[in-house]
Amino acid sequence: MQFSANLGFLWTDRPLPEAIHAAKAAGFDAVECHWPYAEAAQDVVAALKATGLPMLGLNTLRGNLDAGENGLSALPGREVEARAAIDQAISYAQAIGAQNVHVMAGFAQGVIAENCFVEALEYACEQAGPHGINILIEPLNHYDAPGYFLSTTTHAQEIITRVSASNLKLMFDCYHVQLMEGDLSNRLARLMPVIGHIQFARVPDRGPPIGGEVNYPHIFGVIKGLGWNKPLGAEYKSTQPTDDTLAWMPDLPD
């Protein structure tokens, strides 16, 4: 198996270029991030070239953080801001060679919000397509993100079908999916044709993937058996320094 370090949670005590080098030193095969926009793109590119690590993806901006926003694309009346965030993310992804852009929906519910999200995704896919960039959508669990527009893989699959763009994919985060729906092995098998990226963390506390509700060595074996050959995203939190949380890596299946 190959693994990607999500630098939104790992090595957050250092600038993104330094975190990329730390991920390489720790043995990761790729990196991904959340909101890298404060970093000069050329500095990120230099770190990626120096380490040889690919950047798998990044997120669109959340919006007004003081107001607790967590994405804009499903918010009626915020279409101009949502498209600007999409443009920014695609432009930055193109500059650093990132493969995916996660378009964040935000806190909204109902038919109007769904139509708004679909239109935003249609726009994002159209803009990203010429650059070979995939657009990802991710269901978030309602414990960490109560009221988030997208909370189940079933809903995400319905939206992917409705948009019907070849570069719209599902971000399957095992942590979120286990909390909301469970049945990870069967869901992975059923959804594999629309999955664009897979992430993981311990359930239920989002810590390193040791112990908890999910037997990750088993799940990683399932993923490998389904033919997945891309890095899996380690997106977990810890109160310890990141280098002290990596004991799980040597124990996983080859």
Side-chain angles (χ1 to χ4, degrees):
M1 300 297 295
Q2 294 185 316
F3 296 97
S4 169
N6 191 303
L7 303 179
F9 286 163
L10 307 183
W11 290 290
T12 57
D13 58 336
R14 58 195 76 186
L16 182 56
E18 293 182 21
I20 292 170
H21 282 275
K24 175 66 174 182
F28 282 94
D29 305 286
V31 291
E32 57 200 72
C33 55
H34 289 161
W35 303 282
Y37 306 108
E39 296 284 351
Q42 62 266 29
D43 295 338
V44 177
V45 170
L48 294 172
K49 287 183 176 179
T51 60
L53 296 180
M55 176 66 76
L56 298 190
L58 51 87
N59 299 343
T60 57
L61 286 178
R62 290 172 285 182
N64 186 340
L65 299 184
D66 292 335
E69 291 183 337
N70 199 30
L72 299 168
S73 293
L75 276 56
R78 305 289 292 280
E79 290 86 354
V80 172
E81 292 171 77
R83 288 196 174 199
I86 289 167
D87 290 341
Q88 176 192 35
I90 292 172
S91 177
Y92 197 97
Q94 184 184 9
I96 67 171
Q99 300 169 13
N100 305 289
V101 167
H102 169 208
V103 172
M104 301 195 69
F107 298 119
Q109 300 296 323
V111 174
I112 296 175
E114 177 147 338
N115 291 338
C116 186
F117 192 39
V118 166
E119 290 175 5
L121 292 173
E122 289 172 342
Y123 174 79
C125 291
E126 182 179 353
Q127 298 303 308
H131 306 297
I133 295 170
N134 284 330
I135 299 299
L136 303 179
I137 57 175
E138 179 183 19
L140 305 184
N141 77 77
H142 62 198
Y143 302 101
D144 292 334
Y148 192 76
F149 175 76
L150 196 62
S151 61
T152 69
T153 58
T154 299
H155 192 189
Q157 189 173 29
E158 290 171 355
I159 289 174
I160 290 170
T161 299
R162 181 175 169 186
V163 174
S164 189
S166 61
N167 62 331
L168 179 60
K169 303 290 184 180
L170 171 66
M171 177 116 75
F172 190 107
D173 189 320
C174 296
Y175 165 76
H176 290 297
V177 176
Q178 174 65 16
L179 284 172
M180 291 300 297
E181 304 172 89
D183 196 20
L184 292 180
S185 296
N186 287 322
R187 290 191 192 282
L188 283 161
R190 186 164 58 251
L191 293 167
M192 189 57 68
V194 298
I195 293 176
H197 185 44
I198 300 173
Q199 296 176 326
F200 60 91
R202 186 170 61 214
V203 181
D205 65 352
R206 209 171 194 178
I210 301 173
E213 296 179 9
V214 178
N215 179 353
Y216 273 114
H218 169 76
I219 291 298
F220 294 145
V222 168
I223 292 168
K224 182 179 180 180
L226 291 169
W228 185 266
N229 58 7
K230 292 180 279 189
L232 308 177
E235 190 187 39
Y236 62 82
K237 299 179 179 180
S238 177
T239 57
Q240 298 176 280
T242 299
D243 287 307
D244 295 337
T245 72
L246 303 176
W248 58 271
M249 292 184 71
D251 299 324
L252 298 175
D254 294 331

